[in-house]
Amino acid sequence: MSDTSSATSQPPESSEPVGVMARAIDQLAALVDRVDPSQTASPTPCASWDVATLLDHVVADLPNFLAAAKGEEVDWSEQPPSVAPDWASAFREGGDRLLSAWQVAGSSEPGIPPDLVTAEFAVHAWDLATALGGRSGLDPGPAERGLAMMQGMLQPSMRGSEAEGKAFGTEVSPPADASTYDRLVAFAGRDPRWSPPTR
């Protein structure tokens, strides 16, 4: 991400909620940077989404989270516009604006908790890394905070099928040796054992 420290004289500590949110955004930005044009039609763990659809979704998340942080109404079901092939620059610019909003707010709490953003981007970092064929090296911090956030707020009524318009599937049992990311995505309804189909 580009430097957003000018937004505040006291950048958030990397272990604090806003700092971990920044790490989650940076991590996903780096993954978006890695996407080759030949990979955009590849499947992802997100049911019917290919990589291009996932990229459009995470790019659209940023202005939606910014609007929600300002207390504005957001239609989360609205189909995101395609910004292909400029996903990387669009994600970095949107991430900078979102982080700046939190840093400028200072002690004034924005309209949504930063851990909600962290949870979203930690799950989708796993989605994208898995779709690209390798998820080693993911930062465990966002997964830890994201999982704690989801365990505290995710209600049974939020789970269901994609056809029902639900963002979360039925919780999946993770393997005994599950990593933090495995447990996070299993709780979100993903199969942590998912891998891209062989060609």
Side-chain angles (χ1 to χ4, degrees), residues 77-136:
S77 65
E78 184 177 356
Q79 187 73 14
S82 175
V83 295
D86 301 321
W87 294 291
S89 59
F91 190 86
R92 288 186 176 277
E93 290 166 7
D96 286 344
R97 284 192 292 270
L98 184 62
L99 289 170
S100 293
W102 250 278
Q103 293 176 24
V104 168
S107 59
S108 301
E109 185 71 18
I112 56 173
D115 285 346
L116 182 62
V117 180
T118 297
E120 171 78 355
F121 289 145
V123 170
H124 287 319
W126 181 89
D127 289 331
L128 185 54
T130 301
L132 298 180
R135 52 180 181 259
S136 62

Side-chain angles (χ1 to χ4, degrees), residues 9-197:
S9 59
Q10 186 64 42
E13 294 293 331
S14 65
S15 60
E16 294 299 314
V18 176
V20 178
M21 180 182 72
R23 286 160 55 190
I25 292 172
D26 280 338
Q27 172 170 256
L28 187 48
L31 287 165
V32 174
D33 279 342
R34 277 177 44 195
V35 176
D36 185 90
S38 66
Q39 297 173 303
T40 56
S42 298
T44 75
C46 309
S48 64
W49 291 4
D50 59 13
V51 167
T53 305
L54 174 58
L55 293 174
D56 285 337
H57 174 79
V58 297
V59 168
D61 269 343
L62 291 160
N64 283 341
F65 279 131
L66 181 58
K70 295 177 179 178
E72 300 172 9
E73 291 291 327
V74 176
D75 181 3
W76 295 99
S77 65
E78 184 177 356
Q79 187 73 14
S82 175
V83 295
D86 301 321
W87 294 291
S89 59
F91 190 86
R92 288 186 176 277
E93 290 166 7
D96 286 344
R97 284 192 292 270
L98 184 62
L99 289 170
S100 293
W102 250 278
Q103 293 176 24
V104 168
S107 59
S108 301
E109 185 71 18
I112 56 173
D115 285 346
L116 182 62
V117 180
T118 297
E120 171 78 355
F121 289 145
V123 170
H124 287 319
W126 181 89
D127 289 331
L128 185 54
T130 301
L132 298 180
R135 52 180 181 259
S136 62
L138 291 176
D139 180 356
E144 291 165 359
R145 292 202 69 94
L147 179 57
M149 175 71 191
M150 290 177 63
Q151 288 173 331
M153 60 79 67
L154 188 55
Q155 302 298 316
S157 61
M158 298 178 180
R159 296 186 184 274
S161 68
E162 184 180 11
E164 296 171 313
K166 302 295 186 178
F168 304 97
T170 302
E171 183 177 358
V172 176
S173 296
D177 60 348
S179 68
T180 306
Y181 274 93
D182 289 341
R183 292 188 289 112
L184 169 68
V185 300
F187 188 79
R190 308 278 201 278
D191 182 355
R193 303 166 186 83
W194 189 94
S195 61

